[in-house]
Amino acid sequence: MVMSSFFNENFKHLTPYTPGEQPQDKRYVKLNTNESPFPPAPGVLKVVNEAEAKNLRLYSDPELKPLKAAIAETFSVEPANVFIGNGSDECLNFAFMAFGGDGMAYPDISYGFYPVFAAVNHIESDVKPLTTDFRIKVEDYFGIGKSLVLANPNAPTGLTISRTDVAALCEKNPSHVVIIDEAYVDFSEEPVSAVGLTKTYKNLLVVQTFSKSRSLAGARVGFAIGDAALIQDLETIKFSTNPYNVNRLSMAAAVEAIKDQAYTFSNVKKIQENRKYTTEALETLGFMVLPSQANFIFVRTNKIDGGSLYRRLKEEGVLVRHFESERIRDFVRITIGSREDMEMLVAKIKGIISA
Ligand SMILES: *Cc1c(COP(=O)(O)O)cnc(C)c1O
């Protein structure tokens, strides 16, 4: 890797996160970064275009009051229980900084940013392998003497843990913070969200995002819900790094998006239907599909390896995600898009594996 001779020693060995491709060369059917196939809610476009753009000369509200109020109302908590970040990535990074003093535990197969947040903050990672069927074994995290972060549903598997499991994790780690990353929770048909448990457990922090179910990946807004004291710690980090972390247009967009729950739910329902359609269609073609509760599926076949399937689909104008790491290199992760996108994907895969 190229670096200057001036680069701080502390960061010389850092391997940055590799985001999914956002190619600009041609139009792909993008099923690689779990974005929504649907546009933002109608109210979002109106407020961003008409109301808020003229105010851009002014700094944004560092306390993000209207958005905190809207999130608090939606989740039946107080504004003091809500932290808002520039994407949930920022919430997670701040949570690593704030609560990773004794290290951070997470699964070997999960969100690829966790090891990077640990490394950039010089936090020791305690990596626990998933079971052979790619499940989180919650007992692995009981009394581990450090904070932990689990994605629920997990990425890239789409598998969930129950609320009872989350409660047990909080009880077995009373001196550390249990961070539950619920980026995909809206797509789950199982009621797994732990937001309601934040009233019981003072060491539980639940992180969610506007990027997936609310069609605002490009706006960069995420949030964390937890005990007011945990939230205050995150605010301390934010006001020590970037007080205006969410810009005016994004805050206005997010307020409109969270108010329009009906729009979000109707889109989520379509994704759930398309997930079922795609799962069944690929199973018919002989694929093994993990039972996903997210807006993506993680699939494998013995007819073609994951890397080749990814490359062949890309040649055909369809982007999916392939990971090189040992345990999952046979798989590809496919974002669930519109029905039209999924029908096209299934047809292309059929062509590729029968060629
Ligand atoms: C997409 C994703 C995020 C990040 O979302 P942003 O809010 O866009 O930063 C966080 N965690 C997981 C597991 C994700 O897949």
Side-chain angles (χ1 to χ4, degrees), residues 34 87-89 92 111 114 151 155 181 183-184 209 211-212 220-222:
N34 300 341
S88 57
D89 286 341
L92 290 164
Y111 187 32
Y114 301 152
D181 178 354
Y184 300 105
T209 180
S211 294
K212 278 86 191 219
R220 314 302 308 123
V221 188

Side-chain angles (χ1 to χ4, degrees), residues 74-85:
T74 305
F75 290 93
S76 306
V77 296
E78 296 302 317
N81 300 118
V82 180
F83 176 82
I84 303 171

Side-chain angles (χ1 to χ4, degrees), residues 276-289:
K276 184 165 184 283
Y277 159 78
T278 314
T279 300
E280 288 171 1
L282 292 183
E283 281 174 349
T284 304
L285 295 177
F287 277 76
M288 197 281 276
V289 183

Side-chain angles (χ1 to χ4, degrees), residues 230-243:
L230 291 184
I231 298 304
Q232 206 43 61
D233 295 340
L234 296 176
E235 297 290 357
T236 299
I237 308 256
K238 160 178 149 161
F239 280 90
S240 308
T241 50
N242 188 10

Side-chain angles (χ1 to χ4, degrees), residues 137-289:
K137 197 169 153 210
V138 285
E139 301 81 36
D140 286 350
Y141 300 85
F142 288 177
I144 45 169
K146 56 180 78 72
S147 293
L148 62 108
V149 58
L150 300 174
N152 193 32
N154 195 16
T157 62
L159 304 181
T160 56
I161 56 172
S162 70
R163 272 204 281 248
T164 316
D165 288 336
V166 175
L169 288 163
C170 295
E171 281 175 18
K172 301 285 188 183
N173 294 289
S175 311
H176 292 92
V177 178
V178 174
I179 303 163
I180 304 293
D181 178 354
E182 295 189 349
Y184 300 105
V185 83
D186 292 337
F187 301 103
S188 177
E189 288 168 38
E190 304 160 355
V192 295
S193 177
V195 168
L197 295 177
T198 58
K199 291 187 185 169
T200 311
Y201 298 107
K202 306 235 169 291
N203 61 334
L204 174 60
L205 188 74
V206 177
V207 180
Q208 292 195 10
T209 180
F210 284 78
S211 294
K212 278 86 191 219
S213 60
R214 295 193 168 82
S215 301
L216 286 180
R220 314 302 308 123
V221 188
F223 56 97
I225 296 180
D227 186 62
L230 291 184
I231 298 304
Q232 206 43 61
D233 295 340
L234 296 176
E235 297 290 357
T236 299
I237 308 256
K238 160 178 149 161
F239 280 90
S240 308
T241 50
N242 188 10
Y244 308 106
N245 64 335
V246 177
N247 71 69
R248 282 182 166 273
L249 296 183
S250 295
M251 179 167 82
V255 168
E256 291 303 314
I258 200 148
K259 283 200 296 205
D260 201 342
Q261 289 286 78
Y263 181 75
T264 301
F265 288 149
S266 106
N267 288 343
V268 162
K269 200 155 182 303
K270 289 180 205 161
I271 296 296
Q272 290 169 338
E273 286 163 9
N274 295 348
R275 178 174 71 203
K276 184 165 184 283
Y277 159 78
T278 314
T279 300
E280 288 171 1
L282 292 183
E283 281 174 349
T284 304
L285 295 177
F287 277 76
M288 197 281 276
V289 183

